[in-house]
């Protein structure tokens, strides 16, 4: 069986914050306490199914807020690319000749064909499958097929539509609104430096698999909740961790620790010797749609769960992106890693999302007006409050939400 949330390496300020959280987790472990918020919080059931609400969430959250769409490991070298769909937008992420990550709408400027089919690859140029217009990894239109026939055209006006993007901590964020003025660094609220402690920029992309699920918020709620672990996951891994989470937040992004006496072993040691792999254990959620958790099968790994709303309010899908600290280099390690991935697909599909799909049907009936998030579920409370806040914020005020000082 894979060890779950186990140990996960190095820095300054962010490391100090990790140590501080570990000390708090230790204190809670010793005292038999946990982090609690002041009140039980109610979420109206229609927030999970009402079509108008769903349309606003896609348009005002997924199309306006930076999304973690890719990892450095997926496009490490100049010319590497990743093409994918995110919240209905076809996106092409490239690494240009200078080594910078670029993001574009995956749409030819001639008549709008999708330029590159979904997946990762490497290309020195992108030739449109419709009439063979050709673009560089930097998004420039470099050649028009049969240009004498087509007519005179200023190619510099017909490059790909560029999207704001940022590569940090071995992770790549893209904003789907080409006109966004929201600074992705502001949005990250310093959280990226903690994520940087993993050292993902040198990790290996081993595998990606997809799981279909219920409404994206029902699915996401489960990633912010340890309360259910020993119950819903009792047959798989849930008894290893306990049902209590401590929530630590940076802007809308939340790290889940837990009351944990196992830190006593390190208490007498200089902080520099506290193992980084253990300091970054737990769950790291990145608003609005990412969860990162650590595993050990086949070698140290993380599963990056990347959620997207489906075509209807009742559906979502999740890309489980597996990064490994080192590429498994023996058959035995590869097999162990594959078993880990299959196990996690099983847990999420058959336990979490199966529960969420049945739960969704109950909400849709309208027999109850709301669902509850307890004082022990502060992460979920914060998530829903941020969702509401962003829905209420006009475009012009959006950058201010994340600016500090
Ligand atoms: S649509 Fe791309 S070349 Fe015509
Ligand atoms: Fe779960």
């Amino acid at each position: 069986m894979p060890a779950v949330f186990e140990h996960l390496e190095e820095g300054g300020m962010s490391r100090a914050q990790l140590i501080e959280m570990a000390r708090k987790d230790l204190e809670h472990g010793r005292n038999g306490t946990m982090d609690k918020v002041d009140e039980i919080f109610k979420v109206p059931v229609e927030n999970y199914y009402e079509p108008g609400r769903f349309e606003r969430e896609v348009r005002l959250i997924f199309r306006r807020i930076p999304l973690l769409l890719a990892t450095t490991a997926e496009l490490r070298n100049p010319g590497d690319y990743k093409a994918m769909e995110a919240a209905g937008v076809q996106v092409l992420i490239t690494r240009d000749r200078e080594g910078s990550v670029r993001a574009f709408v995956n749409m030819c400027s001639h008549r709008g064909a999708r330029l590159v089919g979904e997946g990762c690859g490497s290309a020195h140029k992108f030739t449109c499958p419709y009439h063979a217009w050709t673009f560089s990894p930097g998004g420039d239109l470099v050649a028009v097929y049969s240009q004498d026939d087509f007519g005179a055209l200023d190619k510099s006006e017909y490059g790909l539509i560029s999207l704001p993007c940022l590569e940090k901590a071995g992770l790549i964020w893209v904003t789907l609104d080409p006109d966004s003025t929201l600074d992705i660094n502001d949005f990250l609220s310093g959280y990226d430096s903690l994520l940087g402690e993993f050292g993902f920029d040198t990790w290996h992309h081993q595998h990606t698999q997809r799981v279909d699920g219920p409404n994206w918020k029902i699915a996401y709620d489960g990633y912010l909740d340890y309360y259910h672990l020993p119950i819903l996951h009792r047959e798989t891994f849930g008894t290893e961790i306990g049902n209590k989470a401590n929530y630590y937040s940076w802007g809308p992004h939340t790290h889940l620790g837990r009351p944990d006496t196992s830190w006593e072993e390190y208490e007498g040691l200089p902080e520099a010797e506290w193992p980084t792999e253990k300091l970054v254990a737990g769950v790291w959620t990145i608003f609005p749609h990412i969860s990162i958790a650590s595993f050990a099968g086949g070698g140290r790994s993380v599963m990056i769960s990347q959620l997207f709303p489906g075509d209807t309010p009742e559906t979502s899908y999740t890309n489980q992106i597996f990064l490994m600290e080192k590429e498994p280099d023996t058959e035995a390690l590869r097999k162990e890693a594959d078993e880990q991935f299959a196990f996690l697909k099983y847990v999420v599909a058959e336990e979490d999302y199966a529960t969420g799909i049945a739960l969704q049907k109950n909400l849709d009936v309208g027999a109850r007006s709301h669902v509850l998030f307890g004082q022990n579920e502060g992460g979920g409370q914060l998530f829903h409050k941020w969702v509401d806040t962003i829905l209420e914020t006009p475009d012009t005020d959006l950058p201010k939400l994340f600016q500090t000082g």
Side-chain angles (χ1 to χ4, degrees):
M1 262 313 99
V4 184
F5 298 93
E6 272 218 341
H7 319 307
L8 280 183
E9 227 170 5
E10 210 94 56
M13 180 62 195
S14 49
R15 189 178 163 86
Q17 292 182 336
L18 292 173
I19 299 263
E20 196 185 320
M21 289 189 285
R23 289 196 185 281
K24 281 187 184 157
D25 286 348
L26 172 58
E27 199 183 321
H28 278 301
R30 269 192 187 130
N31 300 336
T33 55
M34 66 182 292
D35 209 7
K36 283 204 213 168
V37 292
D38 294 340
E39 291 179 337
I40 294 172
F41 182 71
K42 295 179 180 176
V43 173
V45 291
E46 57 267 25
N47 285 16
Y48 290 104
Y49 63 76
E50 202 269 310
R53 163 97 188 188
F54 176 73
E55 180 278 325
R56 289 200 309 282
E57 289 174 352
V58 172
R59 180 167 45 88
L60 300 175
I61 298 175
F62 281 84
R63 298 272 181 96
R64 292 200 301 173
I65 297 295
L67 304 174
L68 194 167
L69 292 190
T71 59
T72 300
E74 289 168 286
L75 54 156
R76 185 174 308 286
N77 301 310
D80 289 353
Y81 69 84
K82 179 179 183 179
M84 65 183 298
E85 195 173 308
V89 180
Q90 304 189 89
V91 183
L92 173 62
I93 306 165
T94 67
R95 191 174 296 281
D96 68 17
R97 289 181 185 114
E98 288 70 42
S100 301
V101 166
R102 308 283 304 270
F104 307 99
V105 182
N106 186 4
M107 175 187 189
C108 176
S109 55
H110 174 216
R111 289 229 301 279
R114 185 178 66 177
L115 189 61
V116 187
E118 280 191 33
C120 293
S122 189
H124 298 299
K125 55 184 170 51
F126 299 105
T127 302
C128 180
Y130 202 176
H131 317 89
W133 284 26
T134 298
F135 300 83
S136 71
D140 298 326
L141 172 60
V142 291
V144 170
Y145 174 60
S146 289
Q147 177 143 26
D148 291 347
D149 299 339
F150 186 84
L153 180 82
D154 182 354
K155 290 198 193 71
S156 70
E157 289 180 10
Y158 287 90
L160 301 176
I161 300 292
S162 196
L163 298 171
C165 67
L166 181 70
E167 181 176 37
K168 274 282 186 74
L171 303 168
I172 296 165
W173 282 265
V174 177
T175 308
L176 297 178
D177 172 6
D179 302 320
S180 174
T181 57
L182 173 56
D183 185 321
I184 302 178
N185 268 311
D186 288 347
F187 166 74
L188 294 176
S189 311
Y191 196 57
D192 52 298
S193 67
L194 286 111
L195 295 168
E197 297 288 325
F198 280 94
F200 290 142
D201 45 351
T202 62
W203 285 36
H204 168 75
H205 173 234
Q206 182 70 11
H207 181 64
T208 296
Q209 59 196 19
R210 171 175 157 149
V211 187
D212 292 321
N215 174 276
W216 73 277
K217 298 198 303 300
I218 293 179
Y220 202 61
D221 287 342
Y223 293 91
L224 283 156
D225 157 13
Y226 281 3
Y227 189 29
H228 77 285
L229 300 186
I231 312 301
L232 182 60
H233 301 304
R234 66 188 170 277
E235 305 290 339
T236 45
F237 70 93
T239 53
E240 298 170 23
I241 296 153
N243 71 350
K244 294 175 173 48
N246 297 322
Y247 296 100
Y248 304 95
S249 293
W250 287 256
H253 318 294
T254 298
H255 169 60
L256 286 76
R258 66 186 173 99
D260 186 359
T261 52
S262 71
W263 281 112
E264 280 177 342
E265 184 186 342
Y266 301 96
E267 229 186 344
L269 296 177
E271 288 179 351
E273 291 175 29
W274 292 35
T276 306
E277 194 170 322
K278 183 173 167 66
L279 285 167
V280 297
V283 170
W284 299 83
T285 66
I286 309 176
F287 188 90
H289 71 143
I290 298 291
S291 161
I292 303 178
S294 296
F295 297 93
R300 184 183 177 195
S301 69
V302 292
M303 173 171 75
I304 304 178
S305 301
Q306 181 188 53
L307 280 82
F308 291 107
D311 293 334
T312 65
E314 290 82 12
T315 57
S316 67
Y317 62 96
T318 302
N319 298 319
Q320 296 181 325
I321 303 169
F322 291 92
L323 299 188
M324 301 192 71
E325 187 179 26
K326 293 184 184 67
E327 183 173 3
D329 55 1
T330 64
E331 203 44 55
L333 285 175
R334 276 193 291 276
K335 186 165 174 282
E336 218 181 297
D338 287 347
E339 282 168 6
Q340 174 92 77
F341 309 149
F343 170 79
L344 288 164
K345 186 164 187 169
Y346 174 85
V347 167
V348 172
E350 302 304 327
E351 296 182 347
D352 292 299
Y353 291 1
T355 300
I357 289 166
L359 177 167
Q360 171 104 47
K361 286 186 185 164
N362 282 338
L363 300 184
D364 289 11
V365 167
R368 290 199 169 272
S369 63
H370 58 266
V371 294
L372 299 172
F373 287 79
Q375 290 176 263
N376 57 342
E377 299 181 285
Q381 295 198 16
L382 189 74
F383 166 66
H384 284 277
K385 287 171 185 171
W386 269 100
V387 167
D388 287 344
T389 299
I390 292 171
L391 291 183
E392 287 157 11
T393 304
D395 290 357
T396 45
D397 294 342
L398 202 57
K400 287 183 225 149
L401 274 185
F402 307 102
Q403 282 161 0
T404 51

